Amino acid sequence: MASFTDLETWKQSRKIRNYVSDLVKKFPVDEKFRLIDQIIRSSRSIGNNLAEGHGRFHYQDNIRFCIMARGSLTETLDHLIIALDEKIISEETLQSFQPEYESCLKLINGYIQYLKSKKTGE
């Protein structure tokens, strides 16, 4: 694969990053340096880790960064649950994120499995 931007996993992480970026524009201003900053960082970290792992050219390094991306994805979901608990977003908003989250999680897990199979075939 020529570029990380060709990865379906990265493309899905980009959709999540853009979703979060649009969503937090509706958050209260007093959350700017609290929840907004945290959720933006975690959502950006998903794609950042996928890109960095892709650039390592070693399967084990790439797997490690994919695992970190998966952690950032789950952290992003947790931040949205916090936003729900704080009554910043609705249950419907959280539910609309769920399919994007699940899709990205499946893609990351599938990519990890693919990399593991390539690693054992070295």
Side-chain angles (χ1 to χ4, degrees), residues 20-21 24 35-45:
V20 166
S21 181
V24 298
L35 188 55
I36 293 173
D37 184 55
Q38 290 294 313
I39 195 170
I40 286 174
R41 287 174 184 266
S42 67
S43 68
R44 288 178 179 175
S45 182

Side-chain angles (χ1 to χ4, degrees), residues 34-87:
R34 295 184 299 198
L35 188 55
I36 293 173
D37 184 55
Q38 290 294 313
I39 195 170
I40 286 174
R41 287 174 184 266
S42 67
S43 68
R44 288 178 179 175
S45 182
I46 304 163
N48 294 155
N49 279 299
L50 292 168
E52 187 167 355
H54 187 270
R56 293 294 175 125
F57 299 112
H58 290 91
Y59 293 120
Q60 190 57 47
D61 280 346
N62 199 344
I63 291 166
R64 188 169 56 88
F65 279 95
C66 287
I67 291 168
M68 287 190 282
R70 186 173 58 195
S72 294
L73 173 64
T74 304
E75 180 184 355
T76 301
L77 175 60
D78 185 56
H79 289 311
L80 286 175
I81 293 169
I82 292 168
L84 174 69
D85 292 346
E86 295 292 322
K87 301 187 181 13

Side-chain angles (χ1 to χ4, degrees), residues 91-117:
E91 182 70 38
E92 292 77 26
T93 300
L94 181 61
Q95 291 305 316
S96 72
F97 176 74
Q98 201 67 33
E100 302 299 332
Y101 166 82
E102 289 171 9
S103 174
C104 195
L105 182 62
K106 286 177 185 174
L107 286 166
I108 291 172
N109 286 336
Y111 189 44
I112 290 170
Q113 288 308 115
Y114 167 78
L115 293 169
K116 284 181 178 179
S117 73

